[in-house]
């Protein structure tokens, strides 16, 4: 059954060494009455190293692949040694040993064939979460917690798109009820690896880099958890970047849409799209700090509670280029915008902000080396100019469309700043504009002072 449970996801740095894992054990102990399910990432950097091994083997460099595997083995052994008593360690040692034997066998096989496919890549990459989940299970037991390892490949059923597989929710939910719920109902703590799953036929898959947050949301949604906790190493989402504004404050509660907007424009804490399965089922997601567990963090919910401040946060995205396309002869020409967007598409360059007039279009893109080629292509259609070192500033808040004079409030504050593009109203929750990159600190400081001097205590810490 397992209604009434909480999913606790710990990222790579939260399980990065024995001290971090010991902290995890104590945090989990504090949640025992809430019936926790633990989802872990691989130890920090391990996924990168596994992919390195796989590539080395694929290039036929068997020796290098095996040396990297040995380093990885030692790190896991050492961490286990520090965490576990003698009896547990002896038992765990042989379990870990057979995992590493399998990994080395696989690397030898890849090196012998000299070819790395997405399917074998996933097989190698999955070891990180298999190992960390077993290690954390043993560590919880060593801390006298009733932990039980659950192999995510038995529960997360995916399609066959190796390296970024999509979960098959009906199958997955049935498996979660079969393999995870009974463990919780027995009063034990299931520990699962994030990021990994398997096809219906049982072939190992992964759901894309950084996928453990998604795994936590899949598990939480599948079991109708009360909440999902994403444990990281920051206190939560902030009103703005504290490196720019030392008086930035923690946001206690934010809507999914607002959080998604912030992530898109530079806030790096969490990609909210990954927790969508939970939000769709109205399960709140918390961002919490495993180094400061008593901090309440940030709660992300489907709908935002009322906030007295206009805005929840200000984000900036630097390294932006503005592309200006002007075509007087194309005045009102049908299909002009379409051909412009087709050019961006051919060069696989995604566009962020767009503004148009009758005869011209300005678009922003992340600065990158394919822009000159794109510009040459666009020059066949119209006059093209592009200019780098720009930044997008984005203010996020609920129902901005409803607030009279909101733009005047913002731009009145910035009357001496050269604003290159403005976009408001495309979504109800953001007001976006483009400025020179070197203006970012002063613009953010001024806006923060203007809009966050007084804070709604329900929303901000
Ligand atoms: N270990 C995987 C990665 O590094 C998944 C995750 O950490 O979320 O991408
Ligand atoms: Mg991660």
């Amino acid at each position: 059954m397992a209604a009434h449970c909480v999913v606790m996801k710990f990222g790579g740095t939260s399980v990065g060494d024995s001290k971090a894992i010991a902290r995890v054990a104590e945090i989990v102990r504090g949640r025992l009455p809430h019936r926790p399910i633990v989802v872990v990432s691989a130890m920090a950097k391990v996924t990168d190293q596994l992919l390195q091994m796989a590539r080395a083997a694929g290039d036929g460099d068997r020796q290098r692949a095996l040396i990297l595997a040995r380093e990885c083995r030692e790190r896991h052994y050492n961490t286990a040694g520090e965490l576990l008593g003698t009896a547990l360690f002896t038992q765990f040692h042989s379990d870990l040993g057979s995992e590493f034997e399998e990994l080395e066998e696989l690397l030898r096989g890849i090196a012998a064939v000299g070819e790395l496919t997405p399917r074998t890549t996933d097989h190698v990459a999955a070891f990180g979460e298999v190992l960390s989940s077993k290690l954390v299970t043993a560590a919880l037991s060593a801390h006298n917690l009733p932990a039980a390892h659950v192999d995510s490949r038995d529960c997360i059923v995916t399609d066959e798109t190796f390296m970024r597989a999509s979960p098959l929710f009906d199958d997955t939910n049935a498996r979660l009820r079969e393999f995870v719920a009974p463990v919780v109902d027995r009063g034990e703590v299931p520990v699962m690896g994030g990021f990994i799953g398997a096809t219906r036929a049982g072939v190992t898959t992964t759901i894309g880099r950084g996928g453990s947050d998604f795994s936590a949301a899949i598990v939480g949604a599948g079991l109708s958890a009360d909440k999902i906790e994403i444990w990281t190493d920051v206190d939560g989402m902030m009103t703005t970047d504290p490196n720019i504004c030392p008086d930035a404050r923690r946001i206690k509660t934010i809507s999914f849409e607002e959080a998604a907007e912030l992530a898109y424009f530079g806030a790096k804490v969490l990609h909210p799209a990954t927790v969508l399965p939970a939000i769709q089922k109205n399960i709140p997601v918390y961002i919490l700090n495993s180094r400061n567990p008593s901090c309440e963090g940030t709660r992300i919910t489907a709908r935002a509670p009322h906030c007295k401040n206009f805005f929840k946060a200000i984000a900036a995205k630097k390294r932006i280029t503005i592309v200006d396309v002007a075509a007087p002869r194309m005045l009102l020409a049908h299909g002009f915008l379409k051909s412009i967007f087709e050019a961006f598409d051919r060069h696989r360059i995604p566009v962020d902000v767009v503004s148009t007039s009758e005869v011209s279009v300005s678009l922003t893109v992340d600065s990158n080396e394919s822009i000159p080629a794109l510009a040459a292509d666009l020059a066949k259609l119209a006059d093209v100019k592009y200019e780098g070192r720009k930044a997008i500033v984005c203010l996020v808040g609920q129902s901005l469309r409803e607030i009279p004079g909101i733009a005047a409030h913002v731009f009145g504050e910035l009357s001496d700043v050269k604003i290159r593009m403005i976009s408001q109203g495309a979504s109800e929750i953001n007001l976006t504009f483009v400025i020179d990159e070197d203006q970012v600190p002063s613009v953010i400081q001024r806006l923060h002072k203007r809009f966050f001097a007084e804070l709604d205590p329900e929303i901000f810490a």
Side-chain angles (χ1 to χ4, degrees):
M1 259 305 298
H4 293 303
C5 57
V6 333
V7 175
M8 308 176 73
K9 180 263 174 176
F10 295 92
T13 49
S14 300
V15 296
D17 57 33
S18 57
K19 282 208 189 78
I21 296 174
R23 276 198 298 273
V24 166
E26 290 319 308
I27 292 169
V28 171
R29 188 190 308 285
R31 291 291 191 268
L32 278 184
H34 303 287
R35 313 201 329 145
I37 297 166
V38 173
V39 174
V40 293
S41 289
M43 294 177 79
K45 306 254 156 60
V46 165
T47 307
D48 288 335
Q49 286 158 359
L50 287 163
L51 292 173
Q52 253 181 310
M53 290 172 214
R55 275 192 300 269
D59 294 341
D61 193 346
R62 173 181 135 154
Q63 181 126 29
R64 181 167 150 68
L66 293 177
I67 288 171
L68 288 168
R70 178 145 303 270
E71 282 169 21
C72 186
R73 184 199 279 256
E74 266 159 30
R75 176 160 170 217
H76 284 84
Y77 278 161
N78 290 342
T79 310
E82 287 158 18
L83 281 164
L84 311 178
T86 322
L88 262 174
F89 183 65
T90 313
Q91 190 193 324
F92 186 67
H93 195 281
S94 74
D95 196 5
L96 213 55
S98 33
E99 291 296 343
F100 277 104
E101 241 114 85
E102 195 188 321
L103 173 62
E104 284 166 19
E105 191 66 26
L106 187 60
L107 292 170
R108 282 192 203 97
I110 295 169
V113 184
E115 189 199 359
L116 181 65
T117 62
R119 179 174 164 143
T120 40
T121 303
D122 273 357
H123 205 141
V124 174
F127 276 93
E129 271 72 8
V130 170
L131 295 164
S132 65
S133 57
K134 290 190 166 180
L135 181 56
V136 170
T137 309
L140 295 186
S141 304
H143 278 76
N144 291 314
L145 293 159
H149 184 254
V150 174
D151 194 324
S152 296
R153 293 167 297 184
D154 294 334
C155 305
I156 309 294
V157 187
T158 73
D159 65 12
E160 294 175 7
T161 317
F162 294 102
M163 299 177 76
R164 44 186 167 78
S166 300
L168 304 173
F169 283 98
D170 289 342
D171 295 52
T172 299
N173 293 346
R175 301 278 193 96
L176 288 168
R177 286 193 294 268
E178 183 182 347
F179 291 106
V180 181
V183 180
V184 179
D185 287 339
R186 277 204 302 274
E188 295 177 353
V189 181
V191 181
M192 318 173 56
F195 181 53
I196 62 176
T199 65
R200 280 201 181 112
V203 181
T204 298
T205 52
T206 66
I207 58 175
R209 292 305 307 271
S212 295
D213 295 337
F214 190 30
S215 301
I218 295 167
V219 173
L223 295 174
S224 303
D226 295 329
K227 59 177 167 174
I228 293 172
E229 298 180 342
I230 307 285
W231 289 85
T232 60
D233 46 14
V234 293
D235 279 346
M237 298 186 119
M238 307 290 284
T239 51
T240 196
D241 181 349
N243 294 315
I244 296 179
C245 269
D247 53 351
R249 302 285 280 276
R250 176 166 56 87
I251 305 169
K252 290 201 282 191
T253 167
I254 192 167
S255 74
F256 171 77
E257 276 189 309
E258 291 170 325
E261 209 68 51
L262 286 176
Y264 188 64
F265 288 112
K268 283 172 224 79
V269 181
L270 168 81
H271 270 284
T274 60
V275 297
L276 193 57
I279 300 294
Q280 281 168 335
K281 291 195 73 178
N282 252 320
I283 300 171
V285 176
Y286 289 75
I287 298 171
L288 296 161
N289 187 353
S290 61
R291 290 168 183 281
N292 184 19
S294 61
C295 176
E296 288 170 34
T298 298
R299 177 167 138 248
I300 304 173
T301 54
R303 300 180 47 115
H306 180 73
C307 176
K308 295 206 182 91
N309 293 69
F310 288 156
F311 300 113
K312 294 277 176 30
I314 312 172
K317 188 177 179 191
K318 293 197 192 177
R319 275 178 289 283
I320 295 294
T321 294
I322 297 185
V323 182
D324 290 312
V325 186
R329 41 199 169 84
M330 288 285 184
L331 195 69
L332 288 179
H334 166 86
F336 178 49
L337 278 179
K338 178 166 181 258
S339 43
I340 290 177
F341 279 108
E342 276 168 358
F344 281 84
D345 200 43
R346 271 197 301 283
H347 293 269
R348 297 182 169 284
I349 300 179
V351 172
D352 280 332
V353 184
V354 183
S355 74
T356 66
S357 77
E358 204 85 319
V359 292
S360 63
V361 192
S362 298
L363 313 97
T364 69
V365 299
D366 290 356
S367 301
N368 70 75
E369 64 281 2
S370 21
I371 291 172
L374 165 76
D377 213 3
L378 286 170
K380 293 173 201 152
L381 304 168
D383 299 330
V384 184
K385 278 188 302 205
Y386 60 92
E387 201 182 335
R389 295 183 189 282
K390 299 284 171 267
I392 298 175
V393 176
C394 173
L395 292 124
V396 171
Q398 217 56 41
S399 306
L400 298 182
R401 274 181 204 159
E402 312 294 312
I403 305 171
I406 188 80
H409 285 297
V410 172
F411 296 115
E413 197 61 43
L414 304 175
S415 52
D416 58 330
V417 177
K418 221 166 67 186
I419 312 276
R420 284 295 309 267
M421 291 169 68
I422 297 177
S423 152
Q424 198 226 321
S427 104
E428 248 193 299
I429 62 162
N430 85 48
L431 192 162
T432 300
F433 56 92
V434 181
I435 56 173
D436 286 338
E437 196 175 68
D438 54 14
Q439 300 251 42
V440 165
S442 83
V443 164
I444 290 206
Q445 282 156 7
R446 285 155 70 176
L447 293 175
H448 197 268
K449 203 162 162 204
R450 169 73 174 79
F451 294 106
F452 295 92
E454 268 173 66
L455 295 171
D456 183 338
E458 298 290 313
I459 305 294
F460 303 100

